[in-house]
Amino acid sequence: MSQRQSKSEAAGNRESERRRTILRAAIDVFARKGYHGCRIADVAREAGVAYGLVYHYFKNKDELLETVVETGWSGFVSRMRAVAEDEGNSLEAKVRGIADVAFEAYRVDPRAVKVLILEVARSPAGTQVVSRQQAFLDTIRMAADMFARAQGTGELRADLDPMLCASLLFGAIELGLTAFVSGLMEDRSPEALDRAKLQIAESFLRGVLPGAATSAEAAWKQEKVSSGTRPKAGKRS
Amino acid sequence: MSQRQSKSEAAGNRESERRRTILRAAIDVFARKGYHGCRIADVAREAGVAYGLVYHYFKNKDELLETVVETGWSGFVSRMRAVAEDEGNSLEAKVRGIADVAFEAYRVDPRAVKVLILEVARSPAGTQVVSRQQAFLDTIRMAADMFARAQGTGELRADLDPMLCASLLFGAIELGLTAFVSGLMEDRSPEALDRAKLQIAESFLRGVLPGAATSAEAAWKQEKVSSGTRPKAGKRS
Amino acid sequence: MSQRQSKSEAAGNRESERRRTILRAAIDVFARKGYHGCRIADVAREAGVAYGLVYHYFKNKDELLETVVETGWSGFVSRMRAVAEDEGNSLEAKVRGIADVAFEAYRVDPRAVKVLILEVARSPAGTQVVSRQQAFLDTIRMAADMFARAQGTGELRADLDPMLCASLLFGAIELGLTAFVSGLMEDRSPEALDRAKLQIAESFLRGVLPGAATSAEAAWKQEKVSSGTRPKAGKRS
Amino acid sequence: MSQRQSKSEAAGNRESERRRTILRAAIDVFARKGYHGCRIADVAREAGVAYGLVYHYFKNKDELLETVVETGWSGFVSRMRAVAEDEGNSLEAKVRGIADVAFEAYRVDPRAVKVLILEVARSPAGTQVVSRQQAFLDTIRMAADMFARAQGTGELRADLDPMLCASLLFGAIELGLTAFVSGLMEDRSPEALDRAKLQIAESFLRGVLPGAATSAEAAWKQEKVSSGTRPKAGKRS
DNA sequence: AATGAATGAGGTTTCATTCAT
DNA sequence: CATGAATGAAACCTCATTCAT
């Protein structure tokens, strides 16, 4: 590649730059006031662009939200899926991995996560284009499949409903994040986030894995003391 | 006494009857389309009354939602609080009691629960009157207090953040209910609901109570099979 | 007359009593908020009667105002007319009589006068039933006739337009009263009212009666003839 | 420079052009139907613009009226003030100047004057933002000050209340204009207007300037008491 | 006669979307 | 690309009037 970009490339970059500015602004405003509570004018003002420019890049307000969601959600889901469907991993590792993905997303962009939680996870059925609601439900179903498979291999207590397990996991993660988003948790330092993530994963696992104390838990307890080796379980160093 | 009520009584009943009809309709419509997605006209049509009558009983749309929420939420919260602050109960009993309250509310009036979940639990901070958002957060804080006290008596693992525990519990319950609300769970029979409630409470407790299996769990296990011991489980690599 | 009234008389009195209560309330509320600024509910509340009763006695809101005006205005006008058309009186006596009538009306019922000023004297042409606007204009015309006759007898300067004289007189009276109504005049004692009445009548008469030209008038007349040097007095060339 | 304006200038003109069009339309419609009697739709139709554009330039209906009033009134008042406070002028010149200003305003824009008279001068106190009513009263007070100063220099009869004089002057002018506005005066030619202006100013001055008592006044005085020597006069007891 | 709940037309206001420059 | 004025449908809310009791 030459150091100078071709004209169209430059334009393309310029365009996508503007586009991204607007998208960014939309996320911020949606996070602050909600989709219904904000006007296109708010997004434009936040982005520092002219009113009409929003319509240059997005067909309408709904597409704007759609794009926000897709952008934020698709990466999230694909990372989630990668973790959940990596058959090389134990269920425990997968669960910890999912928690990692969620909390990492929050660390990187809490506003975007807030929008996803507010506008995607919840919102009346009829209101929106199918995809939005579907996206969330599909993710839960994916997790449910994961749990169902785990039951097949004896990694999950057989008496639990896999769908319910999936709901519990996401419920725990979501309200855990909500606690941060809403200000219920006063300490929002990276360490606090990490602690929360571990407690959530660990409590969930303790609750659903077969047997008494899980090895994971044992390991985790040990980790506190020494340097607990653990097979590729997410990002923990 | 005669079978007819006195005039004022009849009027009083009539009034509150109408009022309740409208409130009921509002719950239904909010549940179906969300607060923003519905028009006063929808509520009026659903209630079978004239447009303006809604404004006879409620100052404006917002007060209507406020009333819906207050009505539904206050009963819910007070029952919740009664359970959580009954010091005669063990933590386990309290947690099960809270699950009972939530699922019973859903059984009695799923629509109302849906509205509470959609419009109260989540919704951008600045938008609403304090009370709505506050109500939800206060409930979580109440549960957090409960868990903190339980740590004092050794009923809860000392290494867990009480606030996080509260979030987990409500997250599990909420997304468990959401699974029903959203149609993720196909079987919505009372039995299925009950099963879900038990699984949620039990998994949560298993996850957060100190020690190995809880007494409840032990009982439950026995009830199910006989020897469900599984060899330390761990991970199949 | 017997001391007891017949039943129908009693009823009639009761009725007119209620009716008068409502009329009274309407005057007060109209005076306070204006016709457009008040609701039937305000009138009912002020009168201490039920909402619908207003409609029992008056066909609609407009008729209510109409009645207020008629009641207040007709007495006013007939007294005015009696003074203006009493050919036994000099013009001066008539003018003073008109001022008497107006200020007496104000003394007796300042609110009613306020309503008459606000809602009758002024108000866009098309808006109202003819009668209201007409009533006011007719009164001015009546006074104009009076002035025209006075010109015939030499009691009024021949160079003045009678219609304009009428306007001036009522303008002076009206804004004089307005000064009291609006609070511009701090002293609202009966004595102050009387003083104002006399000053108004006297100044008006001094201005319009024939007789020795005042120095000011003389100067002005001269200007017309010669080149009236006047120290930069506005736009006159 | 080219004959074409720069873009921003053009835009600026365009904007204020539209704004002025709407303001103009509002004046016309208010004059025709009154503030309460007209709908925003009427203003928009009159201006030949879309419904919503009115709200692009004015926050709401009330601000529209407010702006109409301010625009029309402020120029009027400042011109009035210039005349009233020009100490190089005699009282007589000032009074004539004020009449000039008022009638000139009417000649230039009778509709606007009508609105000012209808919606500003009179209208219930509580209804409006302070400024509107205040503006009118302040103007009267300004004139009252002028008259008070004139009493200090002996230019005005000492026995008159300055505030009342101001009321008389504006009452005369206002109802004089009303006579034209309302159609009482059939001849509305510039000459007729001029004639009216002169008669008003002259009659007023004749009435309030010191100087030889008119015969009428003399007669009246005699009738009342006996020794009505005037000079210092003060308030009659 | 008296009450006040019920009705619904009519007005205001908002704001997504289009369009001319 | 960029701008922001212009558009108008759609929602909210008010309140005069009617009606059942």
Side-chain angles (χ1 to χ4, degrees), chain D residues 26-77:
Chain D
I27 290 173
D28 288 354
V29 178
F30 286 170
R32 209 159 45 238
K33 305 178 157 200
Y35 177 71
H36 287 288
C38 85
R39 298 156 299 180
I40 291 291
D42 295 329
V43 175
R45 194 179 320 112
E46 177 79 27
V49 302
Y51 203 106
L53 197 60
V54 177
Y55 285 90
H56 190 78
Y57 289 107
F58 303 93
K59 204 173 83 234
N60 54 33
K61 193 181 173 184
D62 209 67
E63 195 190 273
L64 183 56
L65 176 55
E66 209 69 22
T67 307
V68 166
V69 164
E70 250 163 57
T71 312
W73 193 250
S74 66
F76 183 63
V77 166

Side-chain angles (χ1 to χ4, degrees), chain A residues 84 98 138-148 162 166-167 169-170:
Chain A
I98 286 174
D138 283 351
T139 307
I140 295 187
R141 282 205 194 85
M142 183 194 71
D145 288 347
M146 178 187 82
F147 285 116
S167 296
L169 176 57
F170 283 107

Side-chain angles (χ1 to χ4, degrees), chain A residues 122 157 159 174 206 209, chain B residues 122 174 202 206 209 220:
Chain A
R122 314 315 160 85
R157 283 166 47 197
D159 57 311
E174 198 211 303
R206 235 172 104 105
L209 293 194
Chain B
R122 314 314 157 88
E174 197 211 305
E202 193 256 325
R206 232 173 106 107
L209 294 194
W220 175 78

Side-chain angles (χ1 to χ4, degrees), chain D residues 60-177:
Chain D
N60 54 33
K61 193 181 173 184
D62 209 67
E63 195 190 273
L64 183 56
L65 176 55
E66 209 69 22
T67 307
V68 166
V69 164
E70 250 163 57
T71 312
W73 193 250
S74 66
F76 183 63
V77 166
S78 62
R79 260 166 288 149
M80 201 88 99
R81 187 177 300 275
V83 169
E85 297 180 347
D86 175 356
E87 293 309 322
N89 268 339
S90 65
L91 177 63
E92 188 187 333
K94 287 177 185 172
V95 166
R96 292 188 188 277
I98 286 175
D100 278 342
V101 167
F103 273 79
E104 178 64 11
Y106 178 77
R107 199 187 58 73
V108 170
D109 192 349
R111 309 246 220 209
V113 170
K114 188 172 181 186
V115 174
L116 292 181
I117 288 179
L118 291 183
E119 306 291 344
V120 182
R122 313 317 159 86
S123 68
T127 313
Q128 71 225 339
V129 184
V130 186
S131 62
R132 235 185 290 161
Q133 174 89 321
Q134 262 339 57
F136 184 68
L137 298 184
D138 284 350
T139 306
I140 295 187
R141 282 205 195 86
M142 182 195 71
D145 288 346
M146 178 186 82
F147 284 116
R149 287 195 304 275
Q151 276 182 329
T153 63
E155 282 185 294
L156 178 69
R157 283 167 47 199
D159 58 313
L160 295 176
D161 182 321
M163 185 65 81
L164 208 56
C165 280
S167 298
L168 295 198
L169 176 57
F170 282 107
I173 290 174
E174 198 211 304
L175 221 56
L177 287 177

Side-chain angles (χ1 to χ4, degrees), chain B residues 159-182:
Chain B
D159 58 317
L160 295 176
D161 181 322
M163 185 65 82
L164 209 56
C165 281
S167 297
L168 295 198
L169 176 58
F170 283 107
I173 290 174
E174 197 211 305
L175 222 54
L177 287 177
T178 299
F180 284 93
V181 163
S182 68

